[in-house]
Amino acid sequence: MKFSTIMMMLGGVGIGGYYYFKKHPEMINSMKCMIKDTSRKVYNMLDEEG
């Protein structure tokens, strides 16, 4: 596959995701919470090692 084809596919996914999240704003909040929890766990793991 060509690089331009991959970029077009990624762009399509991005646009689709953007419109999906515009219709489902509660999904963004749950994802934000999930990302916060994950980063907190990683930070704690690094903190314990150091």
Side-chain angles (χ1 to χ4, degrees):
M1 265 201 318
K2 282 192 287 186
F3 183 72
S4 58
T5 309
I6 295 167
M7 291 308 289
M8 276 170 51
M9 283 167 63
L10 286 173
V13 169
I15 292 166
Y18 173 75
Y19 281 111
Y20 177 79
F21 285 126
K22 265 186 95 132
K23 289 182 178 174
H24 302 89
E26 72 279 355
M27 289 288 291
I28 296 172
N29 288 333
S30 63
M31 278 179 69
K32 279 182 187 172
C33 290
M34 200 174 74
I35 291 166
K36 277 184 192 170
D37 290 344
T38 305
S39 58
R40 195 175 291 129
K41 283 177 192 166
V42 171
Y43 186 76
N44 288 339
M45 278 168 52
L46 293 172
D47 207 31
E48 286 170 12
E49 286 177 13

